[in-house]
Amino acid sequence: MKTYFNLPHEVVFCKKCVISNQRPCSHPEFKHTRERAGAKYMHIDDDGICDACKNHEIKEQTDWSSRENDLLQLLDKHRSKNGEYDCIIPGSGGKDSAMQAHLLKDKYGMNPLTVTWSPIMYTDYGYENWKNWIEIGGFDNVSIKANGHVMKTLTRLSLQNLLHPFQTFMYGQKNLMPKIAAKFGIPLIFYGESEVDYGNSIAETSALRDKYYWCVKDYENIYLGGVSLEELKEVHGLDIKDLNLFLPPTEKEINNQNIEVRYLGHYIKWVPQEAYYYSVEHTGFKARPFRTQGTYSKYNSIDDKIDDLHYYTTYIKYGLGRASYDASQEIRNKHITREEGVALVERFDGEFPDKYFNEVMEYIEMEPEEFHKLCDEFRSPHLWRKDENSWVLKTNVNQKKV
């Protein structure tokens, strides 16, 4: 049976959580094409356990006091003696960046500069959380808003070519921060959790984010929105100066800067729910005033109106929606059982996010009919079967063939 996107032919679900081997591992966004050549997916071992669950077991046995001592030594090395900024915290006001910045400043005595790559389409409550992060949390902030025409064009292309409407936000959140670090002379960047916590290979376990994901030698074989730089210029009228904010730094740009991109979650035990409670207490974070469509939670990834559509497209491409992601991490953290997770996935995964859908379509200048047609084109035949007028997953979370 043919598969799309280099996906594994056989669908296998983890016996501990509700994720499957169709979950994509991290892949440099600037190498992302429709074929996803070289892409890797969640590994599930012969015992039926996924790498994310195995990594969580390792974390349960970790000596976190020793890890914190490692963090203190790192911070002592970088801590400013003259009031200059000594680390960068990327974020748009979500619970994780709020907790990172507050811990580093108030507990560990650092002087972080928070940097925001503005969401494509802020939600009202997401914007309020961003303001509260800065004003109640008490942080200096640099906010960057990309050229609106370029952002809109690349977002539309990423949807048409990759069914990946969130890609343009990810460019700024991951690629831009090392550039900002180089320009400000701040060589230490902190993100929260490592991608290993959610499915990257355990072999990638490290405090450092590999440069492979955020730096390039040159701009050959670089793709934005699934389109080469040459085509972006010739067909869409966008040249390097228009695309600069979206491109990863080159080795030349950061030469001799010794920039370190690190995960605070490597040094401190990171639990998403605890990050939520912490951010509520210390930075005025507020959950969404209603349930997020496609899942049962209210506080994860709520800054951008395109967030909900992004998770719907992962359901189309990989058979895994937002409830699958949320339930899997809550199962690992022992907040719910697998049986409860299965029930939540069966109830909410694949729910169409209609609340902001028309606004998103208007923003990217796409007819809703084109979006639905794209969804049908991106359904891999090994995952989906069409019964009369509806699409059905061939294998569900109970490992039942449908």
Side-chain angles (χ1 to χ4, degrees), residues 125-139:
Y125 39 87
Y127 185 66
E128 286 300 312
N129 281 333
W130 174 76
K131 289 199 301 181
N132 288 346
W133 179 37
I134 304 308
E135 295 171 6
I136 297 176
F139 304 105

Side-chain angles (χ1 to χ4, degrees), residues 102-271:
H102 195 274
L103 278 174
L104 285 165
K105 183 176 182 180
D106 282 51
K107 182 175 181 178
Y108 296 111
M110 299 294 283
N111 187 25
L113 174 65
T114 63
V115 179
T116 298
W117 171 252
S118 295
I120 303 167
M121 300 176 69
Y122 255 123
T123 59
D124 293 342
Y125 39 87
Y127 185 66
E128 286 300 312
N129 281 333
W130 174 76
K131 289 199 301 181
N132 288 346
W133 179 37
I134 304 308
E135 295 171 6
I136 297 176
F139 304 105
D140 291 344
N141 177 266
V142 171
S143 293
I144 300 165
K145 181 73 173 176
N147 177 315
H149 169 67
V150 179
M151 175 70 87
K152 181 183 296 188
T153 300
L154 290 179
T155 302
R156 183 172 60 251
L157 287 171
S158 68
L159 191 52
Q160 290 171 329
N161 296 318
L162 308 171
L163 203 69
H164 186 5
F166 208 48
Q167 189 182 52
T168 42
F169 178 76
M170 296 175 73
Y171 284 140
Q173 191 73 348
K174 302 298 184 181
N175 295 347
L176 181 60
M177 300 305 153
K179 289 184 173 183
I180 300 297
K183 289 187 181 298
F184 277 81
I186 309 170
L188 182 61
I189 303 170
F190 275 111
Y191 290 97
E193 300 161 287
S194 166
E195 288 89 344
V196 175
D197 288 358
Y198 290 94
N200 276 24
S201 171
I202 290 178
E204 294 186 24
T205 300
S206 172
L208 283 165
R209 191 166 203 259
D210 196 314
K211 278 189 177 181
Y212 167 75
Y213 292 113
W214 57 267
C215 184
V216 294
K217 182 178 180 180
D218 52 48
Y219 287 149
E220 288 188 20
N221 300 316
I222 296 296
Y223 295 83
L224 300 179
V227 179
S228 69
L229 297 186
E230 181 180 6
E231 184 178 337
L232 283 171
K233 182 176 182 178
E234 293 180 356
V235 178
H236 302 282
L238 302 177
D239 59 25
I240 290 293
K241 72 176 185 296
D242 300 310
L243 303 170
N244 183 54
L245 286 179
F246 299 88
L247 292 167
T250 61
E251 293 176 359
K252 183 178 180 180
E253 280 184 271
I254 60 170
N255 188 36
N256 300 320
Q257 294 277 352
N258 295 319
I259 291 172
E260 301 175 20
V261 181
R262 292 183 175 267
Y263 300 107
L264 192 59
H266 177 82
Y267 303 99
I268 299 169
K269 188 175 182 180
W270 206 273
V271 179

Side-chain angles (χ1 to χ4, degrees), residues 18-43:
V18 290
I19 213 71
S20 80
N21 64 342
Q22 308 293 296
R23 184 203 184 280
C25 296
S26 295
H27 190 68
E29 289 296 337
F30 47 83
K31 295 181 182 294
H32 196 157
T33 62
R34 182 162 180 163
E35 295 76 20
R36 286 183 61 83
K40 298 179 181 178
Y41 293 87
M42 174 75 83
H43 175 256

